[in-house]
Structures are given as C-alpha cells and as structure tokens.
Amino acid sequence: MLRLYDMARAPNPRRVRWFAAEKAIALETIEIDIVSGANLGADYLAINPRGVVPTLLLADGSILDESVAICRYLEGLHPEPNLMGRDGLEMAQIERWQRRMEFDGLFNIAAVFRNTAPAYATRGMPGVLPPTPAIPELAVRGALLAGDWLDQLDQRLATAPFVAGDRFSIADITAAIAVDFGKWVNIRVGDARPHVARWLANVKARPAARA
Ligand SMILES: N[C@@H](CCC(=O)N[C@@H](CS)C(=O)NCC(=O)O)C(=O)O
C-alpha cells in the first residue's frame, strides 16, 4: 500500500485523500502535526527535505510531493474514474480550472490564514524556509481576492454543473476544499452565492469527500 504523509485537518493533504478515495485507492496515512512543527523536525525532513505535506512514499523509496503531482501519479496508476481529462483538450480545460481554484481560491485563503494565525507568526509560508514573518496586509489582500474568487465561482456554477464543465473533476476537489478552508478565516459562501452553495452540497455528498 502506498504511504501518504498527511495531516487530517490540512487542506492540501485532503485534496490527495479525496482524489484517491474517488478511485478507491487505499493509502496508509501517517499523521504529521504541522502546528507543533513536526514537519520541520529531523525525522520528517529525512523523508521530505522541503518539510511540506502531503508527501507520497513510492515503492522504490523515492517520494512525490505537490498535491496535483501526486494526483497525476494516482491518475496514471488508476485511470478510472477519470478526474483529470481524457484527451488533450479536456485535460487542458480541467487543468485550467484546477489552477484557477488553486491560485485564486486556495492560495488567497491560505494567505489570510498564515498571516493571521498566531501559530504561524514567524512561519508565513509552509515548509523549510528562512523565518518568514506574517504580513497583515497579505491577509487583507487575500480576503479581498478570495471574495472575488467566490463571486467568480458563483458565476461559473450558474451555467455549469461542475467547475470544469459537465462532470466532476480534480477542479471540484480543489475548489470544495478551498471553500471549506475559507470557513477557518470567516470567508463564507453566504446567501449571495447560491450556485456555490448548491454545488458544494452536491460534491460534499460524495462518499469520497469524507476521506
Ligand atoms: N503546493 C503544495 C502545498 C503544500 C502545503 O502548503 N502544505 C501545507 C499543509 S496544507 C504544509 O505542508 N504546511 C507546512 C507548514 O506550515 O510548515 C501542494 O500542493 O502540495
């Protein structure tokens, strides 16, 4: 069984767990407590010198990090159900939307979290880096941009059942996890984004969403 270095509450590892669960891929999960800094300790850095999760340990002892890269590997191992596109155009469309959900949504919400949470006062960015103090202005900008992302997502979901079009894909996983992460910093869907609310209830009803 593949081993995933994980943190149950953290958004990026959750993307991989949900993706794997859609494909019924069993993963052995090892919990790494980021808040206490276990990801920055010698034991974990011997596994992944970047000090980030998720990390997938492969059978030959090598590792993969970056959530989407891990998902790409799992998609290759278990092509069905397809979550990343069947031909060049569909792959490009799904990637386009996945990246927008990641950079416009997840990244901006993470900026709010990391620049306001006391535990990260000197850890403004994930993993092994020189001390990076929190910058309160980044939280302000992140909240503004995350709100705009939610508005754009609502417009998209007014005309498409899923983020990348007519079927469920990795773009929905990233988007739903970003929306959930937003609640941590009081960025909420609210009543003004009914299409996001409807879509979120739909995708979170999938059994794999509980992974
Ligand atoms: N781009 C990476 C981001 C990974 C990342 O930021 N992971 C967070 C947890 S959600 C982390 O490892 N944080 C470590 C820290 O805060 O030091 C991915 O997609 O996997």
Side-chain angles (χ1 to χ4, degrees):
M1 191 186 301
L2 290 165
R3 174 182 295 178
L4 183 75
Y5 293 92
D6 190 18
M7 179 167 164
R9 280 185 295 137
N12 283 296
R14 185 177 166 213
R15 292 204 275 170
V16 171
R17 292 198 311 274
W18 185 341
F19 188 95
E22 291 283 347
K23 291 173 177 287
I25 299 173
L27 298 173
E28 177 198 7
T29 57
I30 306 287
E31 181 79 358
I32 303 294
D33 181 18
I34 296 169
V35 180
S36 70
N39 60 309
L40 305 176
D43 288 354
Y44 188 65
L45 295 181
I47 296 161
N48 184 342
R50 284 180 73 203
V52 293
V53 292
T55 297
L56 189 73
L57 179 66
L58 305 181
D60 67 359
S62 62
I63 59 140
L64 269 179
D65 63 11
E66 287 300 319
S67 309
V68 178
I70 296 171
C71 292
R72 174 67 67 195
Y73 176 68
L74 298 179
E75 178 99 336
L77 279 184
H78 292 263
E80 297 298 334
N82 178 283
L83 296 173
M84 299 182 86
R86 293 190 188 281
D87 57 27
L89 179 58
E90 196 191 23
M91 284 180 197
Q93 290 288 8
I94 290 174
E95 181 161 344
R96 164 191 177 213
W97 285 102
Q98 197 296 125
R99 289 174 70 91
R100 286 184 60 176
M101 299 305 107
E102 183 164 348
F103 294 119
D104 300 348
L106 194 56
F107 185 84
N108 283 314
I109 290 162
V112 180
F113 177 65
R114 298 214 62 118
N115 290 289
T116 54
Y120 298 107
T122 59
R123 295 169 60 193
M125 294 295 285
V128 175
L129 287 171
T132 46
I135 300 172
E137 290 84 354
L138 290 179
V140 175
R141 187 178 70 177
L144 186 77
L145 294 174
D148 183 64
W149 165 71
L150 277 176
D151 290 341
Q152 291 189 37
L153 184 59
D154 199 62
Q155 287 170 24
R156 169 65 176 166
L157 293 168
T159 58
F162 296 100
V163 171
D166 59 8
R167 71 182 180 91
F168 181 83
S169 75
I170 188 173
D172 296 285
I173 295 176
T174 300
I177 286 171
V179 172
D180 276 353
F181 190 25
K183 291 178 207 155
W184 296 22
V185 289
N186 209 22
I187 294 171
R188 294 178 188 280
V189 173
D191 295 336
R193 296 163 183 132
H195 305 293
V196 175
R198 187 191 60 244
W199 156 86
L200 187 66
N202 180 28
V203 296
K204 287 187 66 181
R206 301 172 73 87
R210 294 194 291 275

